[in-house]
DNA sequence: GTCAAATAGTTTGATAGTCAAACAAAAAAG
DNA sequence: CTTTTTTGTTTGACTATCAAACTATTTGAC
């Protein structure tokens, strides 16, 4: 049992590191050299369709609004994000991707989808279900753990 | 099929973010407030038992030796790591955890082990195997992808 | 044996990412 | 109308990072 725990843990840690490293290198070699992996995740959190406010995106990313403001300053300068002041409540800023930003979003999304497709492609329907069950368990453990820890 | 890919991808992304956030908050609320998540990973890479050189640890973490030197300076100052100059080759530094460092290492390790134990606890032997298979597939996809991208 | 080249690690300058705290503008509450 | 709350921005301090210049030591060539 302990052996299995160590093995699964090792794979998780390794997968985690690999994904980050691959995303980072892929960006650096693409036409989007000027985007860091953190900025990529910000672009991902801003998303393609709905418009999200600064507070919403910061919460989604788990960073403070101040940190996001600084990052968005850079992403606006680089041409990936637009700031739009809400007409309804003029304190509120909604963030949206530019055409460039949407292009990058789709590239990143494709990497993620390919990764998962590759993972499950040789699995049967049942096996894919079990993998999903493992992920659901892990996710629910983490959500419960998160609740127990104050902000 | 596409629906399932999106669902698995969503869980993976969410799990990644949660693990990082929980590790970060847990540290901040523990007796080890002065350790960042990156420093925690450095402590993890230095490890409990064998002694590793600066170069080895930097490679394991995927950072430059210069970056590690700076980080180790802080960890030595904070009392988690010891530098030992090799008697065999006096250019070489081996890194080792202090008593405090080992205590923190075990705390972090416990979080990881609890996380995995919880994930598989209600699974049968076969289901745990399938989960493992999914992780192995994912890992092997990532290793192959990594090879295709130059440093 | 000496000197050049290679190796291991450190330092430094520049930049990004982060938070907390001080701040400004607008909306909501009284 | 003020006061309080909310939303976002700016700033100061610190960590994380790399590349490049640097120091100390070992290895290799002669």
């Amino acid at each position: 049992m302990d052996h299995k725990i160590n093995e699964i843990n090792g794979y998780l840690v390794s997968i985690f590191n690999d994904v980050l490293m691959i995303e980072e290198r892929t960006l650096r070699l693409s036409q989007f050299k000027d985007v860091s992996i953190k900025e990529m995740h910000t672009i991902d959190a801003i998303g393609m369709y709905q418009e999200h406010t600064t507070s919403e995106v910061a919460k989604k990313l788990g960073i403070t609004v101040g940190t996001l403001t600084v990052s968005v300053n850079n992403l606006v300068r680089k041409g990936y994000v637009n700031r739009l002041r809400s007409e309804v409540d003029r304190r509120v800023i909604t963030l949206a991707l530019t055409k460039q930003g949407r292009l990058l979003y789709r590239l990143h999304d494709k990497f993620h989808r390919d990764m998962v497709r590759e993972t499950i492609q040789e699995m049967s329907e049942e096996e894919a279900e079990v993998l999903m069950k493992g992920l659901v368990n892990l996710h629910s453990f983490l959500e419960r753990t998160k609740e127990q820890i104050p902000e």
Side-chain angles (χ1 to χ4, degrees), chain A:
Chain A
M1 179 62 160
D2 264 24
H3 165 68
K4 192 170 284 168
I5 287 178
N6 283 340
E7 199 170 352
I8 291 180
N9 188 37
Y11 275 114
L12 285 175
V13 170
S14 181
I15 287 168
F16 198 106
N17 291 335
D18 281 357
V19 169
L20 270 187
M21 186 183 301
I22 292 170
E23 289 191 339
E24 206 150 13
R25 286 190 195 165
T26 306
L27 276 174
R28 214 172 51 213
L29 297 169
S30 74
Q31 62 180 299
F32 303 105
K33 290 183 221 322
D34 60 346
V35 179
S36 74
I37 185 69
K38 297 274 182 178
E39 288 175 325
M40 184 64 247
H41 289 148
T42 301
I43 286 170
D44 191 69
I46 291 172
M48 285 288 274
Y49 307 113
Q50 300 107 319
E51 303 201 329
H52 296 288
T53 70
T54 301
S55 299
E56 284 165 1
V57 174
K59 185 168 183 197
K60 195 164 167 186
L61 289 168
I63 60 180
T64 63
V65 179
T67 299
L68 183 58
T69 295
V70 174
S71 177
V72 168
N73 287 346
N74 292 324
L75 289 171
V76 168
R77 182 172 46 75
K78 294 177 185 171
Y80 295 102
V81 173
N82 281 142
R83 275 196 174 97
L84 295 163
R85 191 166 285 280
S86 160
E87 289 306 317
V88 186
D89 180 342
R90 297 190 46 75
R91 288 170 306 183
V92 173
I93 298 280
T94 57
L95 300 171
L97 300 182
T98 62
K99 196 175 168 185
Q100 270 281 91
R102 288 198 298 276
L103 190 62
L104 178 49
Y105 180 97
R106 280 193 293 268
L107 184 81
H108 183 244
D109 193 52
K110 182 174 179 339
F111 167 74
H112 272 266
R113 297 171 58 77
D114 285 352
M115 184 175 75
V116 174
R117 184 175 291 117
E118 183 84 12
T119 303
I120 65 174
Q121 79 174 354
E122 283 168 11
M123 289 185 168
S124 68
E125 196 74 11
E126 295 77 40
E127 287 174 328
E129 280 305 317
V130 174
L131 173 61
M132 177 79 90
K133 183 175 168 187
L135 294 178
V136 169
N137 282 357
L138 180 48
H139 185 250
S140 108
F141 166 72
L142 293 170
E143 292 298 316
R144 267 179 289 133
T145 305
K146 216 163 60 173
E147 270 171 32
Q148 285 163 20
I149 307 173
E151 302 262 339

